[in-house]
Amino acid sequence: MDSFMLAAIEQARLGQAEGGIPIGSVLVYQDEIIGRGHNRRIQRGSTILHGEMDALENAGRQPASVYRECTIYTTLSPCSMCSGAILLYGIPAVVIGENQTFTGEEELLKSRGVNVTVLQNLECIRLMKEFIAANPGLWNEDIGEG
């Protein structure tokens, strides 16, 4: 398996160990991880710290030229907010661990020229299915349905 997706999965596990939602992400520039993050909405009482947003935040301010050469890896299909950030910063590629438990704005990303790859990684699917089964209220709150 791709080492960058493994790093995103490790972030998801870290979030789960902290009592949060197991979604992780890494931002990659020139084959190096420049930002790592995981969903910290529960841990920080945040409305915006999804995995992708946390990875972008932890990458720090970057010039537009850097974002235009990045790939963001995420264990789950990105929601509207995270997809908007991907578009805003001109990130050209997204690698998604799975979209069986939640299909975000993949069609929007594709329509705007983003290269979207979905792996259907079994570990990503397992992490989310187990979390959703054990915490349906938290999951519904996170995706705006609760």
Side-chain angles (χ1 to χ4, degrees):
M1 181 190 323
D2 186 300
S3 65
F4 299 128
M5 184 53 67
L6 283 173
I9 291 170
E10 183 59 34
Q11 285 294 307
R13 289 183 183 135
L14 182 57
Q16 184 177 40
E18 294 171 351
I21 299 170
I23 302 169
S25 183
V26 295
L27 185 65
V28 176
Y29 173 67
Q30 295 183 347
D31 289 322
E32 302 238 350
I33 296 172
I34 62 170
R36 298 171 189 264
H38 52 277
N39 187 302
R40 296 178 195 247
R41 194 182 60 74
I42 295 168
Q43 300 92 308
R44 299 265 177 96
S46 172
T47 58
I48 62 167
L49 279 182
H50 286 192
E52 300 91 336
M53 302 299 278
D54 194 39
L56 285 165
E57 178 73 12
N58 290 329
R61 286 178 58 201
Q62 300 293 328
S65 61
V66 168
Y67 294 119
R68 286 193 298 263
E69 292 183 33
C70 283
T71 298
I72 193 162
Y73 289 74
T74 181
T75 58
L76 185 65
S77 185
C79 72
S80 302
M81 175 180 63
C82 296
S83 294
I86 290 164
L87 294 173
L88 177 68
Y89 291 106
I91 297 169
V94 180
V95 178
I96 298 168
E98 68 103 348
N99 66 1
Q100 290 183 10
T101 58
F102 176 75
T103 301
E105 297 294 334
E106 295 170 27
E107 292 308 313
L108 171 64
L109 292 168
K110 290 176 187 175
S111 77
R112 298 281 296 275
V114 177
N115 180 6
V116 175
T117 303
V118 182
L119 303 177
Q120 301 304 9
N121 177 278
L122 296 177
E123 177 64 4
C124 294
I125 295 167
R126 184 192 67 75
L127 281 167
M128 287 311 302
K129 283 190 174 182
E130 288 179 3
F131 178 83
I132 292 167
N135 304 280
L138 287 175
W139 172 242
N140 288 331
E141 181 183 318
D142 196 58
I143 59 169
E145 295 181 8

